[in-house]
């Protein structure tokens, strides 16, 4: 088992393979999925690796709905579970993502975005699923959505995704783009001793005292695996703290608001951003995924030209890192949001900016990468 | 009788969830009774039982019983059950679905779970109709019958669940009814003990939605119909085909001994690890 390795090691890997390394490091022992480009490499690597581990399970399901269903079941049975998909598959998963939010079942869904809508552009880069990741399922709910910039980051953010899922008893979505997932780079796989791994809290009280959806200080109740002696009811219906369906207004209100609060009150823990030359910038680029990589080069080139540019690379997309954006927009004249969609992230930036400075968009939806030059040109225009 | 009631009480969440939602005369409670008696007779600890259901009246069953219970989403109970069983093969995973849940919206998962021959006990409560949503046509509504969405009579042919499940690859396939309760108990116990995909179709009356529209005046008429229509498979097989009419055979239709998925998976894992 890889977890036994004591020293870090270097490999030359695809972003997709780095996701698998990260998942295994984080303790993932269950993968259920259905192939779709450009995410299939994650599934294939899992198929090769998991059966070789002590209790790892890999199962190819009949569709993405079934994939989501199996990982929910596996997580209820105590496993750290994951699936990966792209556009159409992600759409199919939405009802069950809502179920996982409602039942507070931890799991990780990797979505390697492709162009859309519909079958769209299968192997071309896009970032069109930002708002679907946030609001794809029906109803009001909180959710955690992360992204990654490069291959090393794919590993790191997968570990983070599992940690958040377990810590907050929630599905976590890792949004990658095709460029990140299909780039091959040298990465370091850390020794398991060097990374922090979080596993869901287990109840310590006797079963008769246990309430599976109890209000706690952190808002996150402990979650035992099925079969451990804590018999309770999971349902997608709005439920009371014992898990039984309820429509009493006070119980509904408290159940739904706890589900929001358990994530929202930990903004400081969940919001990960990388700042690059942003301290004194007058022009701020807000980007994520492979676009942030182009933006970093563009910012450096702009600085050489005397333009005070900076970059905010969002690793957490939701809850939207409001604090981090607000902190830097103080000195800014312009914020530039380059993204491979028609403006799904710039909506969030505009909302937070609330008219304080100019927000410029740079959108590309032709299945091609946003180049450093495009971003630089836009920065030069001011 | 008192003793039976006593046993059942030991398994219900009677201080929490009663009165229940089922209509008088509904067969769903009879199936639950049979399930509890079988679990009890087999001595399976409550903690080892995971009862997973989809959505529909049948989907409401788990909330009343003191097992590990999961009320999934419409049509997807088998997907979650697959995850649970593969994650922990020691658990007794029992899946309860309505005909609409299992065969209409969940049809794809159903045939694939049977094909995988994964170790689940799968109960389909076939009342020929969508009960919970008000009596719409299901993929088991007999051709020509009435429902709110077939006001001119059902045009489409219906599934034969027994044939479908056998063809898909299940190890064990059986059919019972809520009238023939003793037989049902036997079939149920069988369903809970055999390895691999273990399927039991239970014909059960929904007087409220199906009966009313199809000339059954009351629940009793529906049970009478079950009594006169269902007959043991062995006797049915002896009947000349032209005499079978619309009689429905009940009993065990398929028994295979193929290795369940979770067992072959464990074997592969051992082999790969050189154990
Ligand atoms: C995705 C989805 N589509 C539709 C529904 C509405 N719905 C709830 S129960 C049901 C049918 C139930 O019929 P059946 O499975 O035969 O169970 P019964 O109520 O007869 O026991 C439908 C269509 C739903 N809950 N979810
Ligand atoms: S509507 Fe039909 S299936 Fe539902 S509880 Fe009533 S009788 Fe039973």
């Amino acid at each position: 088992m890889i977890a036994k390795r004591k020293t870090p090691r270097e490999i030359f890997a695809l972003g997709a393979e780095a996701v698998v390394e990260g998942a295994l490091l984080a303790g993932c022992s269950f993968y259920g999925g259905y192939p779709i480009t450009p995410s299939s490499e994650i599934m294939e690597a899992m198929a090769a690796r998991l059966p070789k581990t002590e209790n790892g399970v890999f199962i190819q399901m009949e569709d993405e709905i079934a994939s989501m269903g199996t990982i929910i079941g596996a997580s209820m049975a105590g496993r750290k579970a994951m699936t990966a998909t792209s556009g159409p598959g992600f759409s199919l998963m939405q009802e069950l993502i809502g179920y996982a939010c409602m039942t507070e079942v931890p799991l990780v869904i990797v979505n390697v975005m492709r162009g859309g809508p519909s079958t769209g552009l299968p192997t071309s880069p896009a970032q069109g699923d930002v708002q679907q990741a946030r609001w794809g399922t029906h109803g009001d709910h909180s959710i955690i959505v992360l992204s990654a910039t490069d291959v090393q980051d794919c590993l790191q953010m997968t570990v983070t995704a599992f940690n958040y899922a377990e810590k907050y008893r929630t599905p976590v979505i890792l949004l990658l783009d095709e460029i990140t997932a299909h780039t091959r780079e040298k990465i370091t796989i850390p020794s398991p001793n060097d990374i922090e791994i979080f596993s869901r809290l287990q109840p310590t009280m006797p079963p008769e005292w246990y309430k599976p959806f109890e209000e706690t200080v952190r808002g996150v109740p402990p979650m035992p695996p099925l079969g451990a002696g804590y018999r309770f009811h999971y349902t997608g219906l709005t439920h009371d703290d014992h898990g039984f369906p309820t429509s009493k207004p006070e119980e509904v209100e408290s159940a739904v608001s706890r589900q929001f609060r358990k994530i929202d009150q930990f903004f400081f823990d969940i919001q990960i951003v990388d700042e690059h030359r942003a301290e004194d910038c007058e022009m701020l680029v807000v980007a994520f995924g492979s676009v942030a990589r182009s933006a970093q080069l563009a910012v450096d080139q702009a600085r050489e030209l005397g333009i005070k540019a900076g970059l905010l690379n969002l690793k957490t997309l939701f809850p939207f890192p409001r604090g981090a954006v607000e902190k830097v927009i103080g000195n800014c004249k312009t914020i530039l949001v380059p993204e491979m969609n028609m403006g799904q992230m710039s909506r969030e930036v505009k909302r937070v900016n609330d008219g304080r400075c100019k927000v410029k968009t740079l959108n590309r939806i032709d299945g091609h990468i946003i180049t450093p030059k495009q971003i630089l040109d836009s920065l030069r225009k001011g | 009788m008192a003793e039976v009631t006593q046993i059942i009480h030991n398994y219900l969440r009677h201080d929490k969830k009663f009165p229940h939602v089922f209509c008088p005369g509904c067969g769903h409670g009879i199936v639950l009774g049979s399930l509890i008696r079988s679990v009890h007779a087999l001595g399976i600890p409550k903690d080892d039982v995971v009862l997973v259901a989809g959505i529909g009246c049948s989907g409401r069953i788990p909330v009343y019983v003191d097992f590990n219970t999961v009320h999934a989403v419409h049509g997807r109970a088998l997907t979650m059950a697959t995850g649970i069983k593969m994650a922990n093969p020691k658990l007794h995973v029992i899946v309860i679905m309505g005909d609409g849940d299992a065969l209409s919206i969940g049809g794809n998962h159903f045939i694939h779970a049977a094909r995988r021959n994964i170790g689940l006990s799968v109960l389909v409560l076939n009342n020929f109709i969508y009960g919970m949503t008000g009596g719409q046509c299901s993929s088991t509504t007999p051709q020509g019958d009435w429902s709110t969405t077939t006001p001119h009579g059902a045009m489409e042919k219906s599934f034969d669940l027994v044939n479908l499940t056998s063809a898909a690859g299940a190890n064990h396939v059986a059919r019972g009814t809520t009238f023939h309760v003793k037989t049902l108990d036997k079939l149920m116990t069988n369903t809970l003990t055999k390895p691999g995909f273990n399927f039991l179709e239970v014909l059960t009356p929904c007087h409220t939605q199906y009966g009313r529209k199809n000339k059954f005046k009351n629940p009793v008429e529906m049970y009478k119909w079950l009594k006169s229509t269902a007959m043991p498979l062995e006797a049915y097989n002896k009947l000349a085909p032209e005499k079978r009419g619309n009689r429905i055979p009940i009993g065990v239709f398929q028994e295979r001994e193929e290795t369940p998925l979770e067992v072959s998976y464990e074997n592969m894992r051992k082999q790969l690890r050189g154990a």
Side-chain angles (χ1 to χ4, degrees):
Chain A
M1 226 174 88
I2 60 125
K4 297 264 160 62
R5 228 173 262 273
K6 293 229 168 49
T7 47
R9 64 195 166 109
E10 286 183 337
I11 60 166
F12 189 52
L14 281 181
E17 291 158 359
V19 166
V20 171
E21 295 295 340
L24 294 173
L25 273 174
C28 172
S29 67
F30 196 104
Y31 185 98
Y34 191 79
I36 182 168
T37 305
S39 75
S40 301
E41 289 85 355
I42 297 176
M43 182 175 195
E44 288 162 5
M46 277 296 196
R49 298 286 290 278
L50 273 174
K52 293 184 185 160
T53 64
E54 201 176 310
N55 59 358
V57 178
F58 166 88
I59 186 163
Q60 175 167 334
M61 295 303 287
E62 51 274 13
D63 59 29
E64 287 82 354
I65 303 175
S67 309
M68 266 304 292
T70 41
I71 66 168
I72 290 175
S75 180
M76 287 173 170
R79 299 302 192 91
K80 290 190 184 180
M82 141 174 168
T83 189
T85 189
S86 300
F90 191 53
S91 298
L92 284 182
M93 289 176 179
Q94 294 300 339
E95 185 192 14
L96 277 166
I97 292 177
Y99 182 88
C101 290
M102 186 56 122
T103 50
E104 302 181 58
V105 170
L107 36 93
V108 173
I109 304 141
V110 182
N111 174 5
V112 185
M113 292 177 279
R114 60 192 247 169
S118 192
T119 30
L121 291 166
T123 46
S124 304
Q127 295 179 318
D129 301 352
V130 175
Q131 295 295 343
Q132 190 189 190
R134 175 64 191 91
W135 294 114
T137 190
H138 57 289
D140 282 318
H141 61 93
S142 211
I143 199 149
I144 299 175
V145 182
L146 307 174
S147 71
T149 317
D150 55 31
V151 178
Q152 184 75 49
D153 211 25
C154 282
L155 184 151
Q156 181 53 49
M157 292 314 289
T158 305
V159 172
T160 307
F162 273 99
N163 281 346
Y164 285 163
E166 295 285 317
K167 216 169 181 175
Y168 299 106
R169 259 188 84 170
T170 187
V172 174
I173 296 163
L174 177 59
L175 271 192
L176 301 178
D177 55 64
E178 188 271 340
I179 302 167
T180 322
H182 281 171
T183 301
R184 200 177 275 282
E185 286 178 307
K186 190 173 83 175
I187 60 163
T188 306
I189 302 177
S191 137
N193 307 332
D194 297 340
I195 52 170
E196 195 192 6
I197 300 296
F198 202 96
S199 297
R200 67 194 74 164
L201 224 59
Q202 293 300 315
T204 50
M205 66 287 273
E208 10 359 320
W209 295 359
Y210 173 65
K211 293 188 201 160
F213 301 95
E214 189 176 20
E215 185 62 83
T216 64
V217 181
R218 282 180 54 231
V220 188
M223 179 181 165
L226 292 172
Y230 294 85
R231 295 187 301 273
F232 61 94
H233 188 60
Y234 277 113
T235 176
L237 293 167
T238 305
H239 41 264
D240 62 19
D241 52 9
H242 279 97
F244 295 123
T246 180
S247 49
K248 287 187 192 141
E250 64 283 6
E251 288 179 347
V252 173
E253 163 78 30
S254 105
V256 177
S257 54
R258 180 181 56 74
Q259 285 171 22
F260 267 92
R261 187 170 55 72
K262 72 172 181 179
I263 291 174
D264 295 352
Q265 76 178 354
F266 289 98
F267 265 17
F268 64 89
D269 179 41
I270 299 171
Q271 304 195 358
I272 310 175
V273 295
D274 269 0
E275 279 185 30
H276 179 71
R277 309 180 90 161
E279 325 73 48
D280 62 340
C281 71
E282 288 172 2
M283 298 206 61
L284 176 72
V285 185
V286 179
F288 71 98
S290 63
V291 179
R293 234 173 156 179
S294 291
Q296 181 155 338
L297 184 59
V299 162
D300 289 342
Q301 290 169 344
R303 286 275 176 171
E304 277 166 28
L305 299 174
I307 304 167
K308 281 189 153 184
L311 167 67
L312 203 59
N313 174 1
L314 307 182
K315 300 293 177 68
T316 304
L317 303 185
F318 296 104
F320 188 74
R322 181 179 196 113
V325 177
E326 275 178 334
K327 201 183 82 192
V328 268
I329 57 182
N331 321 319
C332 276
K333 296 201 182 90
T334 310
I335 304 177
L336 173 66
V337 190
E339 50 186 330
M340 289 184 282
N341 62 48
M342 289 298 279
Q344 298 192 21
M345 185 47 68
S346 60
R347 281 174 85 98
E348 300 297 319
V349 174
K350 283 175 187 159
R351 182 171 62 79
V352 169
N353 179 57
D354 203 11
R356 276 178 273 194
C357 60
K358 188 161 98 183
V359 177
K360 269 180 55 169
T361 57
L362 169 56
N363 309 106
R364 188 151 194 183
I365 49 154
D366 57 357
H368 285 271
I369 186 168
I370 297 185
T371 59
K373 180 169 182 305
Q374 276 185 293
I375 299 173
L376 181 64
D377 287 348
S378 186
L379 287 172
R380 287 167 79 163
K381 284 188 197 130
Chain B
M1 189 65 205
E3 194 197 337
V4 174
T5 315
Q6 194 67 39
I7 291 172
I8 288 186
H9 271 227
N10 280 336
Y11 287 85
L12 296 181
R13 290 167 169 154
H14 44 83
D15 51 338
K16 304 215 172 74
K17 286 319 301 170
F18 286 81
H20 60 72
V21 297
F22 302 114
C23 309
C26 177
H28 287 6
I30 297 176
V31 184
L32 178 59
S34 175
L35 174 65
I36 290 176
R37 285 190 294 278
S38 299
V39 168
H40 184 78
L42 293 166
I44 308 171
K46 287 181 189 175
D47 281 336
D48 291 355
V49 177
V50 184
L51 188 59
V52 188
I55 300 283
C57 296
S58 52
R60 295 299 172 106
I61 289 176
V63 80
Y64 302 111
V65 248
D66 186 22
F67 298 136
N68 303 285
T69 52
V70 181
H71 182 211
V73 305
H74 196 33
R76 319 300 172 196
L78 278 169
T79 70
M80 290 192 205
T82 300
I84 295 166
K85 187 68 182 178
M86 289 304 285
N88 183 357
K90 290 196 195 90
L91 296 169
H92 278 256
V93 185
I94 304 167
V95 188
I96 294 193
M97 296 172 287
D99 42 274
D101 195 68
L103 274 309
S104 300
I105 189 166
N108 196 28
H109 308 308
F110 186 86
I111 54 173
H112 285 283
R115 172 182 67 82
R116 289 187 182 106
N117 194 28
I118 179 167
L120 303 173
S121 303
V122 177
L123 315 177
V124 171
L125 280 47
N126 186 1
N127 55 14
F128 312 109
I129 203 90
Y130 288 4
M132 176 146 274
T133 40
Q136 296 86 2
C137 169
S138 158
S139 42
T140 57
T141 305
Q143 213 172 9
D145 277 7
W146 312 101
S147 75
T148 53
T149 48
T150 53
H152 316 295
M155 297 282 295
E156 300 167 13
K157 277 207 230 170
S158 61
F159 271 136
D160 179 325
L161 304 195
V162 157
N163 287 345
L164 178 76
T165 321
S166 302
N171 253 3
H172 293 273
V173 178
R175 182 192 285 134
T177 89
T178 48
F179 178 82
H180 305 84
V181 177
K182 286 230 164 86
T183 314
L184 183 64
D185 281 8
K186 273 194 212 131
L187 296 171
M188 186 71 78
T189 313
N190 197 42
T191 301
L192 294 186
T193 40
K194 298 283 180 171
F197 194 88
N198 221 316
F199 171 65
L200 175 60
E201 173 185 10
V202 188
L203 303 181
T204 168
C206 168
H207 171 255
T208 315
Q209 302 297 359
Y210 176 76
R212 238 170 1 112
K213 285 186 203 67
N214 289 286
K215 303 195 177 73
F216 295 101
K217 278 193 278 285
N218 53 46
V220 176
E221 295 273 308
M222 291 214 69
Y223 284 94
K224 279 190 182 152
W225 172 77
L226 279 179
K227 182 184 176 189
S228 61
T229 309
M231 67 186 290
L233 176 64
E234 297 71 29
Y236 181 85
N237 283 342
K238 281 183 201 142
L239 269 187
E242 62 279 8
K243 291 207 167 143
R244 288 177 185 166
N246 48 15
R247 301 295 299 268
I248 303 172
I250 59 172
V252 178
F253 291 76
Q254 181 65 257
E255 283 193 288
R256 295 189 183 102
E257 299 293 329
E258 279 161 30
T259 317
L261 176 69
E262 68 281 7
V263 177
S264 29
Y265 200 89
E266 180 59 40
N267 291 342
M268 168 179 76
R269 205 159 40 194
K270 275 194 192 132
Q271 235 176 20
L272 285 172
R273 290 168 61 78

